[in-house]
Amino acid sequence: MKKTNVIITGGTGFTGKFVVRKFIDDPDFDVSLLVRDEQKAADLGFCRAGAQIYTGSFEEKKRLEAAFQGKEILVNIASLGFGHCPAILAAAKTANISKAVFVSTTSVFTKLNPASKSIRLAAEKSISESGMAYTIVRPTMIYGTKDDRNICRLIKYMSKFRILPVAGSGNSLLQPVFVEDLASAIYEIVKQKKFDSKAYNISGKTVCTFNELVDTISKLLSKKVVKVHVPLRPMIILFGFYEKISARPKIKAEQLIRLNEDKAFSYEDAGRDFGYAPQALEEVLRREIDDIFGQ
């Protein structure tokens, strides 16, 4: 049986690692990766598992086209927020790749106007006008395992301290998605050939407020953590100043504002069209806490 040649970008990133493993474990696929750091791909075991590794960046046209040549399907996990979409689409066209999955984000629905929002929306528009058979997935906040950059940080903070400052009411809705569930969604789209020129919101099973998220983590840690609510406006001013004096701020004012937006999105279309069925938040958090603390 002829294998399907898949080229994956962003395969050594947090989400990408899980996606690549899905395809490597399926004998129906020949897997290729475009990476900046070949050693990182080797450290993750992708070379031993038989993945073809191409080194290069989206700025290197010849390397990009060489990586895409002879591939049937593109799985673009690399961020669309840096303006590389035109180069990716041009290379795919040159290589005659006619099917693709692109990972965007539900942050395109924010009422704020960060620069990345307009770049991502322009990228989605370019994809829809490209003539390719495509699917765009828009995950909510991605979490899971000790490597995540979102809920993992909250868990670690709460494990050390008994007081948690909360900017605003904490009553805005969240629907974080487990990274394994997102990877499964991307894999199933390709496996089932669901290139129907649509965009799907990929969210978690559980909708909760930030307050409820904190309470759930507190319960799983068996530790009482007191939430201290602070008016949002002073916190925005404070963290705006912090951003100016810090070379690498851990929290930005924009993140505080986003935290006070509702970020719950239905995954009904994904469930109907390719069987997407995410896991419950509390159960995943339990495993994440075990992973963080080596239990």
Side-chain angles (χ1 to χ4, degrees):
M1 181 178 176
K2 182 179 178 296
K3 293 186 177 184
T4 301
N5 291 310
V6 176
I7 177 75
I8 301 174
T9 68
T12 59
F14 176 57
T15 299
K17 292 182 293 186
F18 291 88
V19 175
V20 171
R21 287 170 186 141
K22 295 282 185 185
F23 285 100
I24 284 177
D25 289 344
D26 189 330
D28 290 340
F29 292 98
D30 270 331
V31 181
S32 298
L33 309 179
L34 175 66
V35 301
R36 291 180 181 271
D37 186 348
E38 186 172 2
Q39 186 58 52
K40 191 172 182 180
D43 291 344
L44 290 167
F46 295 157
C47 301
R48 288 193 308 275
Q52 176 71 43
I53 307 298
Y54 297 87
T55 57
S57 68
F58 296 135
E59 291 86 3
E60 299 172 289
K61 180 180 178 182
K62 290 184 178 180
R63 286 178 179 266
L64 183 58
E65 290 178 351
F68 283 12
Q69 197 63 44
K71 310 306 185 296
E72 299 170 63
I73 297 173
L74 166 64
V75 178
N76 189 83
I77 306 166
S79 174
L80 295 177
F82 296 108
H84 296 127
C85 193
I88 295 167
L89 291 174
K93 184 175 181 180
T94 298
N96 294 316
I97 296 177
S98 61
K99 301 181 182 69
V101 178
F102 291 89
V103 178
S104 184
T105 168
T106 53
S107 68
V108 297
F109 299 119
T110 179
K111 295 177 183 177
L112 304 178
N113 288 298
S116 60
K117 175 182 175 180
S118 60
I119 294 171
R120 288 188 172 101
L121 287 173
E124 289 194 12
K125 186 173 187 292
S126 295
I127 293 164
S128 69
E129 295 173 351
S130 68
M132 299 180 76
Y134 70 88
T135 296
I136 295 171
V137 295
R138 299 189 187 117
T140 52
M141 179 177 70
I142 306 168
Y143 78 106
T145 81
K146 61 185 178 183
D147 296 324
D148 95 41
R149 293 180 294 177
N150 296 307
I151 292 179
C152 181
R153 292 164 64 184
L154 178 61
I155 291 170
K156 288 180 178 179
Y157 178 93
M158 291 177 61
S159 72
K160 295 177 182 178
F161 305 102
R162 293 191 174 276
I163 296 176
L164 175 68
V166 178
S169 70
N171 288 324
S172 296
L173 296 177
L174 303 170
Q175 198 170 356
V177 59
F178 180 33
V179 63
E180 283 271 17
D181 290 336
L182 172 58
S184 293
I186 294 168
Y187 167 76
E188 287 298 332
I189 288 166
V190 177
K191 185 74 172 178
Q192 298 181 34
K193 296 181 172 60
K194 291 292 183 179
F195 303 104
D196 46 11
S197 300
K198 289 178 64 175
Y200 293 93
N201 297 329
I202 305 296
S203 52
K205 181 175 182 178
T206 306
V207 179
C208 65
T209 65
F210 182 76
N211 290 330
E212 290 168 338
L213 173 62
V214 171
D215 291 343
T216 299
I217 295 172
S218 182
K219 181 181 76 172
L220 293 173
L221 289 172
S222 299
K223 178 181 179 181
K224 178 65 175 178
V225 176
V226 178
K227 299 183 290 293
V228 177
H229 294 274
V230 182
L232 181 60
R233 186 61 186 168
M235 291 286 279
I236 292 172
I237 295 171
L238 176 63
F239 277 88
F241 177 72
Y242 164 62
E243 284 181 58
K244 291 179 181 179
I245 63 174
S246 175
R248 300 180 65 181
K250 293 184 178 181
I251 300 177
K252 297 182 178 181
E254 180 187 312
Q255 291 173 289
L256 298 181
I257 299 171
R258 283 278 292 140
L259 190 61
N260 284 270
E261 285 188 321
D262 284 339
K263 296 182 288 296
F265 299 89
S266 171
Y267 58 82
E268 180 181 355
D269 289 350
R272 180 191 64 238
D273 290 358
F274 51 88
Y276 177 65
Q279 300 171 62
L281 177 66
E282 183 170 340
E283 185 52 43
V284 177
L285 286 176
R286 191 188 311 278
R287 300 202 302 270
E288 181 167 9
I289 288 170
D290 288 345
D291 187 35
I292 291 170
F293 300 109
Q295 298 176 11

